[in-house]
Amino acid sequence: MLKPVENSGYRLLHEGTLTLAEIERNGIRVNRKYLKKVMWKIRRTIAEETEKLKKDEIGVLWKKIYGNKTKFGSRHQLSYILFEKIKIPNPNRTERGRFKADEDVLEGIDIPFVKRYIRIEKLKKILNTYLSGIWREVDGEYIHPTFNLGNAATFRSTSNSPNFQNIPIRVPWIAKIIRSCFIPRPGRQLVEVDYGRIEVCGSTCYHKDPNMIRYLTDPTKDMHRDMAMKCFMLKKEEVDKTIRYCGKNMFVFPQFYGDFYIDCAKNLWNAIGRLKLCRPDGVSLYDHLREKGITSLGACEVGVEPKDGTFEKHIRRVEYDFWNNTFPTYMQWKKKWWNNYLRTGGFYLLTGFYIEGVYRRNEVINYPIQGTSFHFLLWSLIQIIREIKKRKMKTLIVGQIHDSIVADVPPDELSDYLGLAQEVMTEKIRKHWPWIIVPLEIEAEVCDIDRPWSEKRKYEGTF
């Protein structure tokens, strides 16, 4: 349970609720013609690809084994066909010893049947989870997603009808299909402004780790690049954008959110094959690691001691160094924060709230960071909308996604709006909350006039 314990917390809750209601009222415009056409096209593609799947020799075998009980959407049946009948190697198992057939496992299998299966499943999700949800909520030319403040224990916002905060971005072709549904009002531009590294900044306001502060204040330092170097045993110049992405999203952030070396090792190892990670000279990172004495992933099982020469043991060493040498103050804060919760049953947020109740250790450590980081955005939204009205601007805020703001902007107001966002989100907020001890940064992506959200590109001008 979260409750305001200071007047500042109450004001943020009250004014934030009114602000999100205004964003809901504004709504975001939908290209109904495109939406209807793309839904029809995806249904046809699913039907055609499913017929091809059934005629494939693996599909024929599947039907032969299961007969009338065949379900081409069943991961259990697929797992049996691929890993027990065809004998495709798969080291990933469930706690009960069954072969896993989740998306990460399937992505690593380079055969046409599996690739077609994955594509069909993704198309089904695009159609049934996202596009149908948008179509169901269209009112005229607009949807008016609801943004809530009372549903999450962290006071992070949630969204429904439809869930505007659940639009996928990691797979470009999927993001393009869905975001192409959203367009600006005639003659306008969609503009997305987001906080960079906001949860890292939010966490630093709590633990105050000196090394983290240096990473956030020294533009020559790059935490994600450095950790990718250690994980894959590379030199600085050998870390490209994709390898850095793996260091960031498969080691650094999982470690911050409470994961540990076993999952990190599996995800990083599998990414080498799935993303075809190589050194600049073209040598696969599998071969590169063999040159360094690492010959296999390892067992990656809880309670099983990692063996020498395995990637698992290497990542365990990297993890130990990460918390004991790179960010020891952060590590001590986590221990102290958790022990204090065990004594009191709750914890305070810097933004004037108190969270109490029964929570797991990771929740106790992550909730103040998630909540506080969203409060940065919420406070900024309140101030930006207030200033837009004061200046009699025609810009409308039409959506928010935890760390980003989506606006519908007349072209002649673009510069003024981005300048306003920069001032509020990076300068005024630090005057309002002096305990923000690291600089905050924003980035902007802008669509051309009358073009969909999917065509946003980085804004190259000055704020």
Side-chain angles (χ1 to χ4, degrees):
M1 178 181 177
L2 182 146
K3 57 186 178 183
V5 294
E6 297 175 6
N7 187 45
S8 60
Y10 173 77
R11 286 201 311 272
L12 185 66
L13 178 65
H14 179 78
E15 293 173 5
T17 301
L18 296 176
T19 296
L20 294 181
E22 183 166 338
I23 295 172
E24 177 184 346
R25 182 188 64 187
N26 291 339
I28 185 167
R29 190 172 175 222
V30 173
N31 186 336
R32 286 174 57 98
K33 184 177 180 181
Y34 164 83
L35 178 56
K36 187 175 182 179
K37 181 179 179 181
V38 77
M39 290 175 69
W40 174 83
K41 194 172 180 180
I42 289 175
R43 288 191 186 98
R44 187 182 66 178
T45 302
I46 290 172
E48 291 173 349
E49 292 296 294
T50 301
E51 285 304 310
K52 293 177 182 177
L53 201 70
K54 293 177 180 178
K55 293 177 181 177
D56 187 286
E57 61 181 12
I58 297 178
V60 173
L61 175 62
W62 192 334
K63 179 71 174 176
K64 181 179 179 181
I65 291 174
Y66 286 98
N68 294 333
K69 296 182 179 179
T70 300
K71 294 181 180 179
F72 280 100
S74 169
R75 292 294 176 94
H76 175 70
Q77 291 185 8
L78 177 65
S79 174
Y80 178 76
I81 297 295
L82 295 179
F83 308 125
E84 297 192 44
K85 296 300 293 183
I86 303 178
K87 305 294 185 183
I88 294 174
N90 179 7
N92 301 286
R93 292 178 179 264
T94 66
E95 292 181 358
R96 296 185 177 182
R98 295 176 178 173
F99 287 110
K100 286 187 177 180
D102 56 25
E103 188 171 317
D104 286 340
V105 171
L106 297 179
E107 290 279 6
I109 300 175
D110 190 16
I111 60 175
F113 178 87
V114 175
K115 290 186 177 300
R116 177 168 282 126
Y117 180 91
I118 294 172
R119 180 170 174 79
I120 291 171
E121 291 302 300
K122 287 180 176 178
L123 287 171
K124 286 179 180 177
K125 187 168 185 178
I126 292 170
L127 179 65
N128 298 326
T129 302
Y130 303 110
L131 300 181
S132 295
I134 296 169
W135 180 261
R136 185 171 56 249
E137 298 296 335
V138 173
D139 178 14
E141 286 189 302
Y142 295 86
I143 59 168
H144 300 269
T146 299
F147 297 101
N148 314 287
L149 286 181
N151 294 348
T154 60
F155 188 40
R156 198 182 190 192
S157 67
T158 61
S159 177
N160 60 276
S161 304
N163 188 345
F164 190 75
Q165 299 174 335
N166 191 37
I167 299 172
I169 60 172
R170 296 193 184 279
V171 182
W173 68 272
I174 294 178
K176 183 177 181 180
I177 289 173
I178 300 170
R179 292 184 178 228
S180 292
C181 296
F182 301 109
I183 54 177
R185 289 158 171 81
R188 293 182 171 224
Q189 299 170 266
L190 289 179
V191 179
E192 185 172 357
V193 175
D194 71 276
Y195 270 119
R197 64 192 190 186
I198 191 61
E199 291 197 353
V200 178
C201 293
S203 72
T204 306
C205 295
Y206 284 90
H207 58 69
K208 302 179 177 63
D209 190 291
N211 282 335
M212 186 71 79
I213 293 173
R214 280 190 282 271
Y215 267 116
L216 294 173
T217 55
D218 185 347
T220 67
K221 296 176 72 67
D222 186 333
M223 173 171 49
H224 306 309
R225 178 202 63 205
D226 290 352
M227 295 318 302
M229 288 168 57
K230 292 181 179 181
C231 289
F232 293 118
M233 306 175 78
L234 294 167
K235 299 175 183 177
K236 183 190 297 186
E237 61 271 17
E238 293 175 325
V239 177
D240 62 18
K241 184 178 180 180
T242 305
I243 293 173
R244 179 186 181 277
Y245 169 88
C246 292
K248 173 183 177 181
N249 292 287
M250 299 176 194
F251 183 83
V252 175
F253 282 145
Q255 289 289 324
F256 285 163
Y257 295 135
D259 211 341
F260 69 128
Y261 73 91
I262 287 181
D263 287 336
C264 292
K266 285 192 290 188
N267 291 334
L268 289 165
W269 183 265
N270 291 335
I272 296 174
R274 182 164 53 86
L275 301 177
K276 297 179 172 56
L277 302 182
C278 298
R279 292 189 320 219
D281 60 4
V283 174
S284 166
L285 290 195
Y286 285 135
D287 294 332
H288 165 78
L289 290 170
R290 289 189 188 97
E291 293 173 6
K292 302 291 185 180
I294 295 175
T295 58
S296 65
L297 169 60
C300 285
E301 294 180 12
V302 177
V304 178
E305 178 67 19
K307 294 182 179 180
D308 292 338
T310 63
F311 191 62
E312 175 189 18
K313 187 159 188 176
H314 165 64
I315 295 299
R316 188 173 74 169
R317 293 194 192 101
V318 174
E319 178 185 77
Y320 180 87
D321 179 71
F322 184 79
W323 287 115
N324 292 277
N325 298 319
T326 305
F327 300 121
T329 304
Y330 192 172
M331 182 67 170
Q332 290 303 313
W333 173 83
K334 291 200 297 183
K335 292 178 180 177
K336 184 178 179 180
W337 189 264
W338 170 244
N339 288 333
N340 184 66
Y341 164 76
L342 292 178
R343 288 194 303 271
T344 64
F347 45 90
Y348 290 91
L349 271 60
L350 290 167
T351 47
F353 292 86
Y354 184 73
I355 297 178
E356 61 183 348
V358 180
Y359 299 108
R360 297 187 298 271
R361 184 176 186 274
N362 281 353
E363 293 171 332
V364 171
I365 292 169
N366 292 331
Y367 278 8
I369 297 168
Q370 291 176 4
T372 300
S373 300
F374 172 69
H375 295 167
F376 292 170
L377 186 85
L378 184 63
W379 185 88
S380 298
L381 274 170
I382 295 167
Q383 311 312 314
I384 289 171
I385 290 179
R386 185 177 291 162
E387 191 64 26
I388 284 173
K389 292 178 179 178
K390 182 179 178 181
R391 298 183 187 185
K392 294 182 168 45
M393 296 171 67
K394 296 179 181 178
T395 292
L396 296 171
I397 305 300
V398 297
Q400 59 87 15
I401 312 174
H402 302 314
D403 62 356
S404 69
I405 300 170
V406 182
D408 193 319
V409 183
D412 60 354
E413 292 184 2
L414 177 61
S415 179
D416 289 342
Y417 169 69
L418 291 177
L420 170 61
Q422 168 80 4
E423 181 183 11
V424 169
M425 297 173 74
T426 67
E427 298 171 20
K428 286 188 174 181
I429 191 170
R430 294 188 67 187
K431 293 178 181 177
H432 177 71
W433 282 321
W435 45 260
I436 301 178
I437 59 174
V438 291
L440 303 181
E441 298 178 354
I442 65 168
E443 297 176 346
E445 293 177 298
V446 180
C447 304
D448 288 337
I449 298 170
D450 293 325
R451 300 307 301 166
W453 192 17
S454 59
E455 296 181 13
K456 65 179 183 175
R457 63 182 187 278
K458 186 176 180 180
Y459 180 71
E460 301 294 348
T462 56
F463 291 99

mmCIF file of all heavy atoms in Angstrom, residues 28-40 131-143 178-184 452:
data_model
loop_
_atom_site.group_PDB
_atom_site.id
_atom_site.type_symbol
_atom_site.label_atom_id
_atom_site.label_comp_id
_atom_site.label_asym_id
_atom_site.label_seq_id
_atom_site.Cartn_x
_atom_site.Cartn_y
_atom_site.Cartn_z
ATOM 1 N N ILE A 28 -5.481 10.522 -28.646
ATOM 2 C CA ILE A 28 -4.529 10.490 -29.745
ATOM 3 C C ILE A 28 -5.247 9.977 -30.995
ATOM 4 O O ILE A 28 -6.059 9.043 -30.925
ATOM 5 C CB ILE A 28 -3.293 9.621 -29.414
ATOM 6 C CG1 ILE A 28 -2.249 9.712 -30.537
ATOM 7 C CG2 ILE A 28 -3.675 8.182 -29.132
ATOM 8 C CD1 ILE A 28 -0.895 9.151 -30.133
ATOM 9 N N ARG A 29 -4.976 10.607 -32.120
ATOM 10 C CA ARG A 29 -5.686 10.308 -33.366
ATOM 11 C C ARG A 29 -5.228 8.967 -33.944
ATOM 12 O O ARG A 29 -4.048 8.617 -33.892
ATOM 13 C CB ARG A 29 -5.442 11.434 -34.366
ATOM 14 C CG ARG A 29 -6.312 11.377 -35.610
ATOM 15 C CD ARG A 29 -6.121 12.629 -36.435
ATOM 16 N NE ARG A 29 -6.846 12.554 -37.698
ATOM 17 C CZ ARG A 29 -6.353 12.950 -38.859
ATOM 18 N NH1 ARG A 29 -5.115 13.445 -38.921
ATOM 19 N NH2 ARG A 29 -7.074 12.865 -39.955
ATOM 20 N N VAL A 30 -6.166 8.233 -34.525
ATOM 21 C CA VAL A 30 -5.902 6.918 -35.111
ATOM 22 C C VAL A 30 -6.234 6.940 -36.596
ATOM 23 O O VAL A 30 -7.277 7.470 -37.004
ATOM 24 C CB VAL A 30 -6.734 5.819 -34.399
ATOM 25 C CG1 VAL A 30 -6.589 4.479 -35.115
ATOM 26 C CG2 VAL A 30 -6.314 5.702 -32.942
ATOM 27 N N ASN A 31 -5.382 6.345 -37.394
ATOM 28 C CA ASN A 31 -5.626 6.185 -38.827
ATOM 29 C C ASN A 31 -6.502 4.946 -39.025
ATOM 30 O O ASN A 31 -6.005 3.832 -39.165
ATOM 31 C CB ASN A 31 -4.295 6.049 -39.570
ATOM 32 C CG ASN A 31 -4.465 6.028 -41.079
ATOM 33 O OD1 ASN A 31 -5.533 5.686 -41.597
ATOM 34 N ND2 ASN A 31 -3.405 6.363 -41.799
ATOM 35 N N ARG A 32 -7.807 5.139 -39.000
ATOM 36 C CA ARG A 32 -8.740 4.005 -39.063
ATOM 37 C C ARG A 32 -8.589 3.205 -40.364
ATOM 38 O O ARG A 32 -8.689 1.977 -40.370
ATOM 39 C CB ARG A 32 -10.185 4.516 -38.947
ATOM 40 C CG ARG A 32 -10.575 4.965 -37.554
ATOM 41 C CD ARG A 32 -11.959 5.580 -37.572
ATOM 42 N NE ARG A 32 -12.953 4.658 -38.101
ATOM 43 C CZ ARG A 32 -13.764 3.909 -37.340
ATOM 44 N NH1 ARG A 32 -13.688 3.987 -36.025
ATOM 45 N NH2 ARG A 32 -14.654 3.119 -37.895
ATOM 46 N N LYS A 33 -8.366 3.906 -41.459
ATOM 47 C CA LYS A 33 -8.226 3.230 -42.750
ATOM 48 C C LYS A 33 -7.034 2.293 -42.747
ATOM 49 O O LYS A 33 -7.122 1.134 -43.179
ATOM 50 C CB LYS A 33 -8.084 4.269 -43.867
ATOM 51 C CG LYS A 33 -8.037 3.671 -45.264
ATOM 52 C CD LYS A 33 -7.981 4.773 -46.323
ATOM 53 C CE LYS A 33 -7.922 4.168 -47.733
ATOM 54 N NZ LYS A 33 -7.844 5.240 -48.772
ATOM 55 N N TYR A 34 -5.909 2.782 -42.247
ATOM 56 C CA TYR A 34 -4.709 1.932 -42.151
ATOM 57 C C TYR A 34 -4.959 0.770 -41.204
ATOM 58 O O TYR A 34 -4.608 -0.377 -41.496
ATOM 59 C CB TYR A 34 -3.519 2.756 -41.659
ATOM 60 C CG TYR A 34 -2.375 1.891 -41.170
ATOM 61 C CD1 TYR A 34 -1.457 1.344 -42.061
ATOM 62 C CD2 TYR A 34 -2.230 1.589 -39.808
ATOM 63 C CE1 TYR A 34 -0.427 0.525 -41.617
ATOM 64 C CE2 TYR A 34 -1.208 0.769 -39.359
ATOM 65 C CZ TYR A 34 -0.307 0.244 -40.266
ATOM 66 O OH TYR A 34 0.706 -0.588 -39.824
ATOM 67 N N LEU A 35 -5.555 1.050 -40.041
ATOM 68 C CA LEU A 35 -5.786 0.019 -39.033
ATOM 69 C C LEU A 35 -6.647 -1.111 -39.588
ATOM 70 O O LEU A 35 -6.329 -2.300 -39.423
ATOM 71 C CB LEU A 35 -6.447 0.639 -37.799
ATOM 72 C CG LEU A 35 -6.807 -0.306 -36.648
ATOM 73 C CD1 LEU A 35 -5.587 -1.068 -36.166
ATOM 74 C CD2 LEU A 35 -7.431 0.500 -35.498
ATOM 75 N N LYS A 36 -7.722 -0.768 -40.267
ATOM 76 C CA LYS A 36 -8.608 -1.785 -40.835
ATOM 77 C C LYS A 36 -7.881 -2.617 -41.884
ATOM 78 O O LYS A 36 -8.006 -3.849 -41.928
ATOM 79 C CB LYS A 36 -9.828 -1.111 -41.455
ATOM 80 C CG LYS A 36 -10.904 -2.066 -41.939
ATOM 81 C CD LYS A 36 -12.126 -1.290 -42.418
ATOM 82 C CE LYS A 36 -13.236 -2.243 -42.857
ATOM 83 N NZ LYS A 36 -14.443 -1.491 -43.304
ATOM 84 N N LYS A 37 -7.103 -1.943 -42.727
ATOM 85 C CA LYS A 37 -6.380 -2.627 -43.799
ATOM 86 C C LYS A 37 -5.312 -3.573 -43.257
ATOM 87 O O LYS A 37 -5.178 -4.716 -43.714
ATOM 88 C CB LYS A 37 -5.742 -1.594 -44.731
ATOM 89 C CG LYS A 37 -4.986 -2.202 -45.908
ATOM 90 C CD LYS A 37 -4.407 -1.103 -46.789
ATOM 91 C CE LYS A 37 -3.620 -1.709 -47.963
ATOM 92 N NZ LYS A 37 -3.036 -0.639 -48.823
ATOM 93 N N VAL A 38 -4.549 -3.121 -42.266
ATOM 94 C CA VAL A 38 -3.457 -3.944 -41.760
ATOM 95 C C VAL A 38 -3.996 -5.144 -40.979
ATOM 96 O O VAL A 38 -3.410 -6.231 -40.998
ATOM 97 C CB VAL A 38 -2.479 -3.101 -40.905
ATOM 98 C CG1 VAL A 38 -3.015 -2.802 -39.520
ATOM 99 C CG2 VAL A 38 -1.135 -3.799 -40.806
ATOM 100 N N MET A 39 -5.138 -4.991 -40.298
ATOM 101 C CA MET A 39 -5.730 -6.138 -39.594
ATOM 102 C C MET A 39 -6.165 -7.206 -40.591
ATOM 103 O O MET A 39 -5.943 -8.406 -40.374
ATOM 104 C CB MET A 39 -6.915 -5.667 -38.746
ATOM 105 C CG MET A 39 -6.521 -4.835 -37.541
ATOM 106 S SD MET A 39 -7.938 -4.164 -36.623
ATOM 107 C CE MET A 39 -8.633 -5.666 -35.924
ATOM 108 N N TRP A 40 -6.794 -6.784 -41.700
ATOM 109 C CA TRP A 40 -7.205 -7.739 -42.732
ATOM 110 C C TRP A 40 -5.987 -8.436 -43.333
ATOM 111 O O TRP A 40 -5.990 -9.658 -43.544
ATOM 112 C CB TRP A 40 -7.975 -6.999 -43.833
ATOM 113 C CG TRP A 40 -8.319 -7.869 -45.003
ATOM 114 C CD1 TRP A 40 -9.375 -8.713 -45.122
ATOM 115 C CD2 TRP A 40 -7.577 -7.983 -46.228
ATOM 116 N NE1 TRP A 40 -9.350 -9.355 -46.337
ATOM 117 C CE2 TRP A 40 -8.248 -8.925 -47.041
ATOM 118 C CE3 TRP A 40 -6.419 -7.384 -46.711
ATOM 119 C CZ2 TRP A 40 -7.783 -9.276 -48.304
ATOM 120 C CZ3 TRP A 40 -5.957 -7.734 -47.977
ATOM 121 C CH2 TRP A 40 -6.641 -8.666 -48.757
ATOM 122 N N LEU A 131 -3.661 -4.585 -32.106
ATOM 123 C CA LEU A 131 -4.502 -3.927 -33.101
ATOM 124 C C LEU A 131 -5.987 -4.042 -32.766
ATOM 125 O O LEU A 131 -6.731 -3.070 -32.890
ATOM 126 C CB LEU A 131 -4.217 -4.495 -34.490
ATOM 127 C CG LEU A 131 -2.772 -4.333 -34.994
ATOM 128 C CD1 LEU A 131 -2.628 -4.917 -36.396
ATOM 129 C CD2 LEU A 131 -2.350 -2.869 -34.974
ATOM 130 N N SER A 132 -6.414 -5.218 -32.337
ATOM 131 C CA SER A 132 -7.834 -5.383 -31.977
ATOM 132 C C SER A 132 -8.203 -4.505 -30.788
ATOM 133 O O SER A 132 -9.315 -3.967 -30.717
ATOM 134 C CB SER A 132 -8.133 -6.854 -31.660
ATOM 135 O OG SER A 132 -7.973 -7.653 -32.816
ATOM 136 N N GLY A 133 -7.255 -4.356 -29.852
ATOM 137 C CA GLY A 133 -7.505 -3.498 -28.695
ATOM 138 C C GLY A 133 -7.662 -2.044 -29.092
ATOM 139 O O GLY A 133 -8.516 -1.325 -28.555
ATOM 140 N N ILE A 134 -6.857 -1.599 -30.053
ATOM 141 C CA ILE A 134 -6.979 -0.223 -30.540
ATOM 142 C C ILE A 134 -8.307 -0.043 -31.268
ATOM 143 O O ILE A 134 -9.039 0.924 -31.040
ATOM 144 C CB ILE A 134 -5.794 0.115 -31.468
ATOM 145 C CG1 ILE A 134 -4.481 0.073 -30.688
ATOM 146 C CG2 ILE A 134 -5.993 1.488 -32.113
ATOM 147 C CD1 ILE A 134 -3.243 0.130 -31.557
ATOM 148 N N TRP A 135 -8.633 -0.987 -32.153
ATOM 149 C CA TRP A 135 -9.865 -0.902 -32.942
ATOM 150 C C TRP A 135 -11.098 -0.838 -32.036
ATOM 151 O O TRP A 135 -12.034 -0.088 -32.277
ATOM 152 C CB TRP A 135 -9.961 -2.089 -33.885
ATOM 153 C CG TRP A 135 -11.189 -2.081 -34.745
ATOM 154 C CD1 TRP A 135 -12.346 -2.768 -34.543
ATOM 155 C CD2 TRP A 135 -11.379 -1.329 -35.956
ATOM 156 N NE1 TRP A 135 -13.254 -2.498 -35.543
ATOM 157 C CE2 TRP A 135 -12.680 -1.620 -36.423
ATOM 158 C CE3 TRP A 135 -10.587 -0.448 -36.680
ATOM 159 C CZ2 TRP A 135 -13.206 -1.060 -37.578
ATOM 160 C CZ3 TRP A 135 -11.101 0.118 -37.835
ATOM 161 C CH2 TRP A 135 -12.396 -0.192 -38.282
ATOM 162 N N ARG A 136 -11.070 -1.618 -30.980
ATOM 163 C CA ARG A 136 -12.209 -1.685 -30.063
ATOM 164 C C ARG A 136 -12.443 -0.354 -29.347
ATOM 165 O O ARG A 136 -13.579 -0.024 -29.001
ATOM 166 C CB ARG A 136 -11.952 -2.790 -29.028
ATOM 167 C CG ARG A 136 -13.097 -3.046 -28.077
ATOM 168 C CD ARG A 136 -12.851 -4.279 -27.230
ATOM 169 N NE ARG A 136 -11.609 -4.205 -26.485
ATOM 170 C CZ ARG A 136 -10.537 -4.952 -26.711
ATOM 171 N NH1 ARG A 136 -10.546 -5.845 -27.690
ATOM 172 N NH2 ARG A 136 -9.447 -4.821 -25.978
ATOM 173 N N GLU A 137 -11.388 0.432 -29.154
ATOM 174 C CA GLU A 137 -11.504 1.657 -28.362
ATOM 175 C C GLU A 137 -11.616 2.922 -29.197
ATOM 176 O O GLU A 137 -11.728 4.020 -28.637
ATOM 177 C CB GLU A 137 -10.296 1.771 -27.422
ATOM 178 C CG GLU A 137 -10.166 0.651 -26.410
ATOM 179 C CD GLU A 137 -11.314 0.591 -25.427
ATOM 180 O OE1 GLU A 137 -11.953 1.649 -25.214
ATOM 181 O OE2 GLU A 137 -11.574 -0.491 -24.876
ATOM 182 N N VAL A 138 -11.563 2.814 -30.530
ATOM 183 C CA VAL A 138 -11.620 4.016 -31.361
ATOM 184 C C VAL A 138 -12.983 4.687 -31.229
ATOM 185 O O VAL A 138 -14.040 4.056 -31.367
ATOM 186 C CB VAL A 138 -11.347 3.673 -32.847
ATOM 187 C CG1 VAL A 138 -11.585 4.909 -33.718
ATOM 188 C CG2 VAL A 138 -9.917 3.204 -33.020
ATOM 189 N N ASP A 139 -12.945 5.973 -30.949
ATOM 190 C CA ASP A 139 -14.161 6.786 -30.857
ATOM 191 C C ASP A 139 -14.028 7.880 -31.914
ATOM 192 O O ASP A 139 -13.306 8.860 -31.720
ATOM 193 C CB ASP A 139 -14.288 7.387 -29.459
ATOM 194 C CG ASP A 139 -15.515 8.274 -29.313
ATOM 195 O OD1 ASP A 139 -16.401 8.208 -30.199
ATOM 196 O OD2 ASP A 139 -15.586 9.035 -28.333
ATOM 197 N N GLY A 140 -14.715 7.695 -33.033
ATOM 198 C CA GLY A 140 -14.526 8.603 -34.154
ATOM 199 C C GLY A 140 -13.156 8.376 -34.757
ATOM 200 O O GLY A 140 -12.873 7.326 -35.311
ATOM 201 N N GLU A 141 -12.264 9.348 -34.606
ATOM 202 C CA GLU A 141 -10.886 9.207 -35.085
ATOM 203 C C GLU A 141 -9.887 9.070 -33.943
ATOM 204 O O GLU A 141 -8.679 9.033 -34.190
ATOM 205 C CB GLU A 141 -10.493 10.436 -35.925
ATOM 206 C CG GLU A 141 -11.099 10.499 -37.306
ATOM 207 C CD GLU A 141 -10.472 11.635 -38.102
ATOM 208 O OE1 GLU A 141 -10.549 12.806 -37.652
ATOM 209 O OE2 GLU A 141 -9.898 11.355 -39.162
ATOM 210 N N TYR A 142 -10.365 8.951 -32.718
ATOM 211 C CA TYR A 142 -9.452 9.014 -31.584
ATOM 212 C C TYR A 142 -9.642 7.844 -30.622
ATOM 213 O O TYR A 142 -10.721 7.266 -30.518
ATOM 214 C CB TYR A 142 -9.662 10.329 -30.809
ATOM 215 C CG TYR A 142 -9.314 11.552 -31.611
ATOM 216 C CD1 TYR A 142 -10.269 12.134 -32.459
ATOM 217 C CD2 TYR A 142 -8.048 12.117 -31.560
ATOM 218 C CE1 TYR A 142 -9.957 13.254 -33.227
ATOM 219 C CE2 TYR A 142 -7.732 13.234 -32.318
ATOM 220 C CZ TYR A 142 -8.677 13.798 -33.153
ATOM 221 O OH TYR A 142 -8.362 14.895 -33.911
ATOM 222 N N ILE A 143 -8.551 7.517 -29.920
ATOM 223 C CA ILE A 143 -8.666 6.684 -28.730
ATOM 224 C C ILE A 143 -8.321 7.565 -27.537
ATOM 225 O O ILE A 143 -7.573 8.544 -27.655
ATOM 226 C CB ILE A 143 -7.746 5.445 -28.756
ATOM 227 C CG1 ILE A 143 -6.269 5.855 -28.894
ATOM 228 C CG2 ILE A 143 -8.161 4.478 -29.847
ATOM 229 C CD1 ILE A 143 -5.299 4.711 -28.630
ATOM 230 N N ILE A 178 2.382 -1.360 -35.415
ATOM 231 C CA ILE A 178 1.459 -0.851 -34.403
ATOM 232 C C ILE A 178 1.497 0.674 -34.322
ATOM 233 O O ILE A 178 0.455 1.346 -34.308
ATOM 234 C CB ILE A 178 1.772 -1.476 -33.032
ATOM 235 C CG1 ILE A 178 1.636 -3.002 -33.112
ATOM 236 C CG2 ILE A 178 0.840 -0.916 -31.956
ATOM 237 C CD1 ILE A 178 2.154 -3.737 -31.906
ATOM 238 N N ARG A 179 2.686 1.252 -34.311
ATOM 239 C CA ARG A 179 2.789 2.706 -34.166
ATOM 240 C C ARG A 179 2.331 3.454 -35.410
ATOM 241 O O ARG A 179 2.028 4.648 -35.331
ATOM 242 C CB ARG A 179 4.215 3.093 -33.788
ATOM 243 C CG ARG A 179 4.559 2.621 -32.381
ATOM 244 C CD ARG A 179 5.926 3.064 -31.933
ATOM 245 N NE ARG A 179 6.148 2.607 -30.558
ATOM 246 C CZ ARG A 179 6.618 3.369 -29.579
ATOM 247 N NH1 ARG A 179 6.913 4.632 -29.817
ATOM 248 N NH2 ARG A 179 6.789 2.879 -28.376
ATOM 249 N N SER A 180 2.247 2.762 -36.537
ATOM 250 C CA SER A 180 1.719 3.408 -37.748
ATOM 251 C C SER A 180 0.237 3.722 -37.615
ATOM 252 O O SER A 180 -0.316 4.481 -38.416
ATOM 253 C CB SER A 180 1.954 2.518 -38.972
ATOM 254 O OG SER A 180 3.330 2.430 -39.266
ATOM 255 N N CYS A 181 -0.419 3.140 -36.614
ATOM 256 C CA CYS A 181 -1.845 3.432 -36.381
ATOM 257 C C CYS A 181 -2.049 4.858 -35.886
ATOM 258 O O CYS A 181 -3.137 5.428 -36.057
ATOM 259 C CB CYS A 181 -2.420 2.469 -35.343
ATOM 260 S SG CYS A 181 -2.448 0.742 -35.843
ATOM 261 N N PHE A 182 -1.038 5.436 -35.239
ATOM 262 C CA PHE A 182 -1.213 6.711 -34.552
ATOM 263 C C PHE A 182 -0.668 7.858 -35.386
ATOM 264 O O PHE A 182 0.485 7.840 -35.823
ATOM 265 C CB PHE A 182 -0.518 6.666 -33.192
ATOM 266 C CG PHE A 182 -1.050 5.572 -32.300
ATOM 267 C CD1 PHE A 182 -0.289 4.454 -32.016
ATOM 268 C CD2 PHE A 182 -2.326 5.658 -31.773
ATOM 269 C CE1 PHE A 182 -0.772 3.444 -31.209
ATOM 270 C CE2 PHE A 182 -2.830 4.644 -30.961
ATOM 271 C CZ PHE A 182 -2.055 3.536 -30.680
ATOM 272 N N ILE A 183 -1.495 8.857 -35.591
ATOM 273 C CA ILE A 183 -1.138 10.012 -36.411
ATOM 274 C C ILE A 183 -1.517 11.292 -35.660
ATOM 275 O O ILE A 183 -2.358 11.262 -34.748
ATOM 276 C CB ILE A 183 -1.855 9.973 -37.781
ATOM 277 C CG1 ILE A 183 -3.373 9.838 -37.601
ATOM 278 C CG2 ILE A 183 -1.313 8.840 -38.647
ATOM 279 C CD1 ILE A 183 -4.163 9.871 -38.898
ATOM 280 N N PRO A 184 -0.928 12.425 -36.050
ATOM 281 C CA PRO A 184 -1.277 13.686 -35.382
ATOM 282 C C PRO A 184 -2.575 14.260 -35.923
ATOM 283 O O PRO A 184 -3.106 13.801 -36.941
ATOM 284 C CB PRO A 184 -0.097 14.588 -35.738
ATOM 285 C CG PRO A 184 0.330 14.093 -37.090
ATOM 286 C CD PRO A 184 0.141 12.596 -37.054
ATOM 287 N N PRO A 452 2.887 9.284 -39.329
ATOM 288 C CA PRO A 452 2.592 8.452 -38.146
ATOM 289 C C PRO A 452 3.745 8.393 -37.149
ATOM 290 O O PRO A 452 4.903 8.692 -37.464
ATOM 291 C CB PRO A 452 2.302 7.078 -38.759
ATOM 292 C CG PRO A 452 3.060 7.062 -40.040
ATOM 293 C CD PRO A 452 2.990 8.470 -40.555
#
